[in-house]
Each structure stands twice: as C-alpha cells, then as structure tokens.
Amino acid sequence: MQLRTRVLTAVCTAVFSTFSTLTYAEGSEKMNQDQQDVLTLVQKMTSAFEAGDLDTVMRTYEPNQTIMFEPGNPVSDGETAKTAFERFAAISPRFSYSGHEVIVEGDIAIHIAPWQMSGTDPDGNAIKGEGLSIAVLRRQPDGSWKMVIDNPHGSHLLK
C-alpha cells in the first residue's frame, strides 16, 4: 500500500508540474501579461470602490456575475449588487492586500488575495475586517478581463 501511495504521489506531482501554468505573486518579474491584466483589473475595482465610483466598480464585472457580500448569500442581480456596494461604501473602506496570486488557464483566471479593510461606521467607530478574496475572471471578446464570481470571504470555511 505504501508503494502504491508513493507512486500515486509521484504521478500527481509530475502531472501538476508538467501541465500547470506557473503563478507568481504581485510584483514578480515573471508574471505574464494575462496575469498582470487580471491584477490590474482587481486593483482598478478596489481603487474605484475606495473612491466611491460604483459605476466603474460594476464595469469590472460581467453582467451575469455572482458576488458574495456575506458568506452563504450570493448576489447575482447587478442592481442588488450595486446597492450592496453603495451600503458598504458608506463606511469609507480602505483595503490592503498582503499579496496576490493569479492563475490563468486559457480564457479563465482566478485571483486569490488575503485582504485587510478599515473603515468608519456612521457613529464614527472604527471598523476592521480581513479575509481571503477569491475571484474568478473571464477574458472578454475584446481581450480584457471581467470578474464572474467574487468571494471576498473565502477564508470563512477555515474557521
């Protein structure tokens, strides 16, 4: 049984190392153009959200997107998503990321990033949050990228 496990492990390792697209963290010289384009879109969305530019935020998503504003409660309607973003923008959130990983396979990409957020509630109290953002993106016919699935609460299953 041990031999079978070792052989299976060796085969899996060989398959992954042969067929996997390498991923590089933000700022790496080896990040390819597709990975950079995905990261740029995510940064554009974050900057627009912090600036309160919700029209730009919504343009970073496909029209038929799914966003998890809270675990277990996906939102797929664009108008409902924009309203949720408006409510969240009221706390003037500021985001920071401790890194970015981008994996691209053909016209599909995934962006993974641990994040921290700070803001202020209407009563002036400080609000802090953190999580793991997992976003699935699709290349558009014009070559640009848009988010299809956005789950900033990817770490909730680890608790």
Side-chain angles (χ1 to χ4, degrees), residues 65-77 80-81 84 148-153:
Q65 85 296 350
T66 297
I67 305 169
M68 298 293 286
F69 288 98
E70 59 185 80
N73 193 11
V75 173
S76 295
D77 175 70
T80 303
V148 181
I149 300 170
D150 184 9
N151 181 4
H153 305 287

Side-chain angles (χ1 to χ4, degrees), residues 2 8 10 18 34 40 42 52 55 60 71 81 83 86 101-102 159:
Q2 285 183 352
L8 183 58
T18 302
D34 284 337
T40 297
V42 170
D55 289 331
T60 64
T83 299
E86 287 170 352
E101 183 173 45
V102 177
K159 296 178 181 175

Side-chain angles (χ1 to χ4, degrees), residues 2-155:
Q2 285 183 352
L3 178 60
R4 184 176 177 192
T5 302
R6 282 186 282 186
V7 169
L8 183 58
T9 301
V11 168
C12 288
T13 301
V15 167
F16 283 119
S17 63
T18 302
F19 295 108
S20 295
T21 301
L22 294 176
T23 57
Y24 300 95
E26 173 184 21
S28 170
E29 302 171 13
K30 297 186 180 202
M31 190 177 269
N32 68 34
Q33 189 62 53
D34 284 337
Q35 291 168 316
Q36 291 174 15
D37 291 347
V38 167
L39 180 57
T40 297
L41 180 84
V42 170
Q43 291 169 330
K44 176 182 178 178
M45 182 275 190
T46 302
S47 296
F49 185 55
E50 290 178 338
D53 182 357
L54 301 182
D55 289 331
T56 297
V57 168
M58 294 308 296
R59 283 193 298 271
T60 64
Y61 292 91
E62 285 191 355
N64 297 316
Q65 85 296 350
T66 297
I67 305 169
M68 298 293 286
F69 288 98
E70 59 185 80
N73 193 11
V75 173
S76 295
D77 175 70
E79 287 303 313
T80 303
K82 188 172 181 180
T83 299
F85 276 123
E86 287 170 352
R87 278 187 256 148
F88 189 33
I91 66 167
S92 301
R94 293 288 174 247
F95 291 90
S96 62
Y97 297 95
S98 57
H100 297 269
E101 183 173 45
V102 177
I103 303 167
V104 176
E105 182 57 50
D107 291 337
I108 302 294
I110 187 164
H111 170 264
I112 304 166
W115 57 267
Q116 299 79 40
M117 181 274 304
S118 61
T120 307
D121 74 11
D123 296 327
N125 300 310
I127 297 173
K128 293 196 180 290
E130 63 181 22
L132 180 67
S133 174
I134 302 169
V136 176
L137 300 91
R138 184 176 5 240
R139 188 187 324 265
Q140 303 300 296
D142 67 359
S144 66
W145 292 90
K146 289 196 178 189
M147 285 184 274
V148 181
I149 300 170
D150 184 9
N151 181 4
H153 305 287
S155 61

